[in-house]
Amino acid sequence: PMPGVLFSIEVTSTFFAVRNYWRGFFAATFSAFIFRVLAVWNKDEETITALFKTRFRLDFPFDLQELPAFAVIGIASGFGGALFVYLNRKIVQFMRRQKTINRFLMKKRLLFPALVTLIISTLTFPPGFGQFMAGQLTQKDTLVTLFDNQTWAKQGLSDEFEYLGILEAWRHPRSNIFVTLVVFILMKFWMSALATTIPVPCGAFMPVFVIGAAFGRLVGESMAAWFPDGIHTDSNIYRIVPGGYAVVGAAALSGAVTHTVSTAVIVFELTGQISHILPVMIAVILANAVAQSLQPSLYDSIIRIKKLPYLPELGWGHHEKYNVRVEDIMVRDIRYVTLNCKYRDLQQVLHSTKMKNLPLVESAESMILLGSIERTQVGALLSNQLSPHRRLLTLRQKVLSEDGHRLSDSSIRFQISTETSSGTPARPALRKPLKPALKRVPSSPADSPP
């Protein structure tokens, strides 16, 4: 649980809220407990133990003269991690550039995952090409065999060690263990980079972890073949343990791909041993130093591909940029929209700037920011309000309102003029239309008949 929380802090955020610590530890501890208890209930394990328990010797796990080999693993893993991220990004960009293929895959979303699955399953089919890369082993069995503390071969020959159980998958009558490990690494490398591009959450940590373990195992087997009797230290002879190299390689490559150091703690919890803590830390630090100078982490690369907002690391040699403030780079002379602006003001703002979003302030005096308005919305508003059809409609309404106002004034004058007329009885008048009658009404009381 502890390295899981540390890993989540390293890969998810540059600034992590402290209040989430106890939540992360509680969730990780509870999930790890349930996961291991289920294994005991299913009788897969006798008790709660490490997931990939190793049995390296504790009295003399490695010689100090082996540290250069561990350092080589770290440096090579750094280059390998950067290459993995680069290959993954290039595959995604290639798929997006092909407009026809991209449009077809967008309609058939399940076709691309099914095609990738078919290709990988065909290449790893055990009776076929998979026999050269231990295709019949699951991911867990692969790690268990790679962390094995026995030497599989001596000077490239596979006849010294008797393969038992699942270790038989690494043995091929027409090739030695070195060829099998090289084929496994190369095939798994590009297949994992391809598989992480499918729109299915399958994870990227464990495939890279397995590849790193295989690379470390290859270096360990090579060291065991070059020094079959071990490295001499005084009068004692200690044979080289290739499984320790596999642990170092797994932590180094996974740390290089994810740009994390907590993978060192992860391998300690997975294996249940900290005998190789010094070589693991050396390899992880070197791998991170190389990978961070070449490529972003896999997760940052995915964020950049999807164009999601995030705060990237400034990198080495740019620490002075941390002192740059917003006021040093902000644009001060910008056009804005107020609450009481007119259509003419909006037109002037649109003609004077090309900003996609216009700030909305309360007034030019207070300059209190209320929000923002998209340029397209302002343009649509002006087009709607100032269109020729809208102008004709407004003029027509104005003319009708003026005519109605004149009509009401004339009727009032007509009533007043009739009430103030002489007391002689009114003559019966014929019914005439309203408009001719109103035309005869005098415009002022002075013009009325005596």
Side-chain angles (χ1 to χ4, degrees):
M2 289 184 59
V5 177
L6 297 177
F7 182 80
S8 65
I9 294 174
E10 283 190 284
V11 301
T12 56
S13 175
T14 305
F15 304 99
F16 193 83
V18 180
R19 64 179 179 273
N20 293 330
Y21 274 124
W22 74 269
R23 297 186 179 97
F25 279 113
F26 176 79
T29 303
F30 190 76
S31 60
F33 175 75
I34 295 298
F35 177 73
R36 301 310 295 157
V37 166
L38 289 177
V40 176
W41 286 348
N42 294 333
K43 297 182 180 181
D44 296 334
E45 299 287 347
E46 295 180 359
T47 184
I48 298 179
T49 58
L51 190 60
F52 304 104
K53 189 174 181 59
T54 56
R55 295 175 178 83
F56 303 143
R57 59 173 183 260
L58 300 178
D59 55 343
F60 198 85
F62 62 92
D63 193 279
L64 290 178
Q65 301 182 37
E66 299 180 53
L67 290 181
F70 294 127
V72 170
I73 292 177
I75 296 174
S77 297
F79 285 106
L83 179 61
F84 184 88
V85 176
Y86 176 80
L87 181 61
N88 175 270
R89 184 170 63 253
K90 287 301 179 181
I91 293 175
V92 176
Q93 292 176 352
F94 173 78
M95 297 297 297
R96 292 191 174 185
R97 288 196 199 100
Q98 307 298 323
K99 299 298 183 181
T100 306
I101 299 177
N102 190 20
R103 194 180 304 109
F104 178 74
L105 294 179
M106 288 296 292
K107 296 180 181 179
K108 308 290 183 179
R109 292 185 176 272
L110 296 179
L111 182 62
F112 181 61
L115 183 61
V116 173
T117 304
L118 178 62
I119 294 174
I120 295 177
S121 302
T122 303
L123 294 176
T124 58
F125 188 57
F129 191 73
Q131 60 183 329
F132 295 98
M133 49 185 297
Q136 63 265 41
L137 296 181
T138 62
Q139 193 164 254
K140 180 180 179 180
D141 293 338
T142 302
L143 278 177
V144 170
T145 55
L146 291 175
F147 289 164
D148 187 70
N149 58 346
Q150 301 185 59
T151 304
W152 293 352
K154 181 179 179 181
Q155 296 179 355
L157 302 177
S158 57
D159 55 354
E160 178 193 5
F161 178 66
E162 183 179 357
Y163 291 81
L164 300 174
I166 58 177
L167 291 175
E168 186 68 26
W170 293 99
R171 182 179 183 180
H172 193 273
R174 289 176 291 181
S175 65
N176 53 37
I177 189 60
F178 298 107
V179 176
T180 305
L181 286 173
V182 169
V183 172
F184 178 86
I185 294 170
L186 295 178
M187 296 298 294
K188 284 289 185 179
F189 192 88
W190 72 265
M191 286 191 298
S192 299
L194 176 63
T196 51
T197 61
I198 63 177
V200 177
C202 57
F205 181 83
M206 286 308 295
V208 175
F209 195 81
V210 173
I211 297 171
F215 175 70
R217 186 78 194 194
L218 177 62
V219 177
E221 292 291 342
S222 302
M223 290 289 293
W226 292 335
F227 304 97
D229 297 329
I231 298 178
H232 296 270
T233 303
D234 297 333
S235 59
N236 299 323
I237 298 177
Y238 295 96
R239 291 182 177 273
I240 293 176
V241 182
Y245 287 78
V247 173
V248 174
L253 186 60
S254 56
V257 172
T258 58
H259 287 191
T260 57
V261 186
S262 57
T263 53
V265 190
I266 291 177
V267 296
F268 298 148
E269 274 203 354
L270 288 177
T271 60
Q273 285 187 304
I274 59 173
S275 56
H276 287 74
I277 182 172
L278 182 60
V280 166
M281 291 303 301
I282 292 175
V284 169
I285 292 175
L286 290 176
N288 270 275
V290 174
Q292 290 184 20
S293 62
L294 297 176
Q295 290 289 331
S297 69
L298 179 63
Y299 307 112
D300 290 344
S301 177
I302 295 174
I303 289 175
R304 293 183 183 182
I305 291 173
K306 294 185 176 182
K307 298 181 180 180
L308 301 177
Y310 80 111
L311 294 175
E313 291 286 347
L314 295 180
W316 296 348
H318 301 280
H319 296 288
E320 68 278 358
K321 294 182 180 178
Y322 284 105
N323 299 324
V324 178
R325 300 182 179 181
V326 176
E327 63 180 2
D328 298 331
I329 60 175
M330 66 184 297
V331 179
R332 299 176 182 271
D333 186 17
I334 59 174
R335 303 305 301 267
Y336 54 87
V337 179
T338 60
L339 287 178
N340 56 353
C341 67
K342 301 179 180 180
Y343 292 138
R344 188 186 304 276
D345 301 331
L346 291 179
Q347 281 186 331
Q348 292 178 356
V349 170
L350 292 182
H351 290 320
S352 61
T353 181
K354 295 183 179 180
M355 296 174 58
K356 294 183 178 180
N357 291 279
L358 302 174
L360 175 64
V361 298
E362 184 178 12
S363 63
E365 293 76 17
S366 64
M367 293 298 291
I368 298 177
L369 181 64
L370 303 178
S372 62
I373 307 176
E374 293 185 1
R375 183 186 183 92
T376 55
Q377 294 180 348
V378 177
L381 174 65
L382 294 177
S383 299
N384 184 28
Q385 297 294 332
L386 303 180
S387 62
H389 175 73
R390 187 60 181 264
R391 291 182 179 182
L392 292 176
L393 182 62
T394 304
L395 290 175
R396 186 179 303 169
Q397 292 177 352
K398 185 177 180 180
V399 170
L400 291 177
S401 63
E402 290 179 355
D403 290 345
H405 183 67
R406 293 173 182 173
L407 179 62
S408 60
D409 289 347
S410 299
S411 61
I412 292 173
R413 291 172 183 175
F414 177 77
Q415 293 175 359
I416 291 174
S417 63
T418 54
E419 290 177 359
T420 56
S421 60
S422 60
T424 56
R427 298 176 182 178
L430 298 176
R431 286 183 172 272
K432 296 182 178 180
L434 180 60
K435 287 185 177 181
L438 291 177
K439 290 181 180 178
R440 298 191 187 95
V441 177
S443 59
S444 62
D447 298 333
S448 58

